[in-house]
Amino acid sequence: MYAIKFMTALSLVSLSFAAPVQYGSGSLQHRSDLDLQSRAFTGIEICELPARGDVQAGCLANPVRFTLANNALTAAPAGAQPANTECDHSLELQVLKQALNGNGACTALNKILDAGGIKTSATKEALLKPLFDAVNAQKNVVFLDKAVNAEKRLVVQHALGDGVKRPASTALTAVKAYLANTSIKSATTALATSLDSLASTMITNAANQANAALDAKAAKAATARQKSAITTGKTDVTAGKALFKPATGVSSSWTKVLTYAAGCP
Ligand SMILES: *[C@@H]1O[C@H](CO)[C@@H](O)[C@H](O)[C@H]1NC(C)=O
């Protein structure tokens, strides 16, 4: 709480030193900043920001590991990383990405921050951080056999894409067992719900920050043109919020994945 207030105070301070104040042009100044960051990064991006955390430590700390033994998914004991495994996000980053694109969260976030003149990669990162932390948390990362993980990626792609069933295989059977495992299923389902609530909070916080920035500008607005730019900004913040449709999100995407997998041969 204190940290949030402190951050807001800081951003207000930096705003008041930003000279000259150019209403409506702040977003353009900051966009190249975001673009540069995007170009430098080759991994998965969510709302144009790198989303994959360093998950190796989480996988090592997680007592659960899944290997393939005698062609079947097998729970291996805790210890070093088993051979032929990868550190897998049980609920895939791809699922979070598609959900936030699908329900307008990323578009809404950009529009809100643009409207407030506060669209920098630092602001966006801070707002997205709770979501990235949750999806990269130890509870969501587990060592999984490489071939099974490769099949799992395809399962997710088809589940959220064309819906075409994957052909029967050892790897597919293992993916189905993995997703149906009680502990994986309950952890990922809970995470999906929590990510949806974090996304709603993110949009609310973004709108609050954008409105606070506009209020700070309003206090110093001298000309009619400046005042009108602030009114427009506030209208745009509201319009930005409306682009977010929280009814669809990670939970509905994840349910789709689980249902699709259960229906595969
Ligand atoms: C689910 O995975 C855990 C952890 O590896 C394992 O101990 C448990 O037996 C599995 N449960 C089922 C129903 O397969």
Side-chain angles (χ1 to χ4, degrees), residues 63-66 73-76 142 177-178 180-184:
V64 178
R65 285 122 173 73
F66 291 99
L73 188 74
T74 305
V142 61
Y178 175 85
N181 176 286
T182 323
S183 63
I184 295 292

Side-chain angles (χ1 to χ4, degrees), residues 151 155 165-177 260-261 264-265:
E151 178 67 20
V155 163
K165 298 280 187 274
R166 294 287 302 148
S169 70
T170 300
L172 178 60
T173 304
V175 171
K176 292 177 66 167
Y260 165 92
C264 279

Side-chain angles (χ1 to χ4, degrees), residues 17-120:
F17 281 100
V21 181
Q22 292 179 338
Y23 295 95
S25 69
S27 55
L28 287 175
Q29 283 172 335
H30 296 307
R31 194 158 292 143
S32 58
D33 178 19
L34 288 176
D35 287 348
L36 272 178
Q37 179 144 4
S38 305
R39 271 198 296 273
F41 185 77
T42 51
I44 188 165
E45 286 178 1
I46 298 180
C47 299
E48 298 105 25
L49 287 181
R52 176 178 259 278
D54 184 359
V55 288
Q56 187 71 10
C59 263
L60 282 168
N62 192 339
V64 178
R65 285 122 173 73
F66 291 99
T67 55
L68 207 50
N70 301 319
N71 286 335
L73 188 74
T74 305
Q81 174 171 5
N84 297 319
T85 61
E86 292 169 337
C87 185
D88 171 51
H89 285 83
S90 301
L91 188 153
E92 315 254 335
L93 291 167
Q94 198 60 43
V95 174
L96 177 60
K97 181 187 175 106
Q98 289 209 21
L100 296 185
N101 283 336
N103 69 6
C106 294
T107 317
L109 181 63
N110 285 336
K111 184 164 173 100
I112 291 167
L113 298 181
D114 264 338
I118 54 170
K119 188 162 168 244
T120 64

